Amino acid sequence: MDEQAQLAAVAVGAATALVAEMTRDGWTAAREAVARAFRRGGEEQGERQLARLDADQREAQTTDTAVLRDRWQRRLLTLLEDYPEARQDLAPLVPKQSESRTGVSLSAIGNSGPVIQAGRDNFGGLHTGGQ
């Protein structure tokens, strides 16, 4: 995978996790990881992005998560293009995937309600946290 694709994968994963955590107890840890990453561009840059992040977090209950995810994906990708070393700050937010896995992988984070998967050769399980 080329460098740009790797940076995009980190940005997508981190933005997805970040937006999912905006309405959960894990918000503080996610916020701190993003703060460290943005401070690589200087303290002023870090504070400006944190102000945006906090504003979006306050609006998370009433704003479309897809809009927030896209917004933060773009911001994180720009950050990673300018400061590739910020990848290590964002890595804890990105879900781990097996290097040898092939095919399509789907995940739903922070959702409630039914999950429907269509296609052939489906296997695996679904754990909803219920008894």
Side-chain angles (χ1 to χ4, degrees), residues 8 30 78:
T78 300

Side-chain angles (χ1 to χ4, degrees), residues 28-126:
T28 303
R31 183 186 184 277
E32 287 306 312
V34 172
R36 279 191 303 279
F38 275 112
R39 285 190 188 111
R40 291 185 180 271
E43 197 62 36
E44 184 179 324
Q45 161 82 344
E47 291 305 314
R48 184 173 60 248
Q49 293 298 343
L50 276 180
R52 289 176 172 167
L53 184 60
D54 290 339
D56 282 350
Q57 191 268 336
R58 287 189 297 272
E59 303 285 327
Q61 295 289 347
T62 59
T63 303
D64 182 2
T65 57
V67 170
L68 291 174
R69 210 174 24 250
D70 181 58
R71 180 180 301 159
W72 285 98
Q73 179 181 329
R74 285 183 281 117
R75 288 178 179 158
L76 293 173
L77 182 56
T78 300
L79 172 75
L80 289 167
E81 288 171 341
D82 293 343
Y83 304 96
E85 65 276 10
R87 183 185 315 183
Q88 67 190 10
D89 299 318
L90 299 175
L93 296 176
V94 180
K96 304 290 186 256
Q97 293 186 1
S98 170
E99 292 294 326
S100 63
R101 179 183 281 174
T102 61
V104 176
S105 174
L106 303 173
S107 65
I109 300 171
N111 295 322
S112 61
V115 175
I116 299 170
Q117 183 175 356
R120 61 179 291 262
D121 299 329
N122 294 317
F123 59 94
L126 172 66

Side-chain angles (χ1 to χ4, degrees), residues 1-3 5-6 9:
M1 190 181 310
D2 70 359
E3 182 71 13
Q6 289 176 352

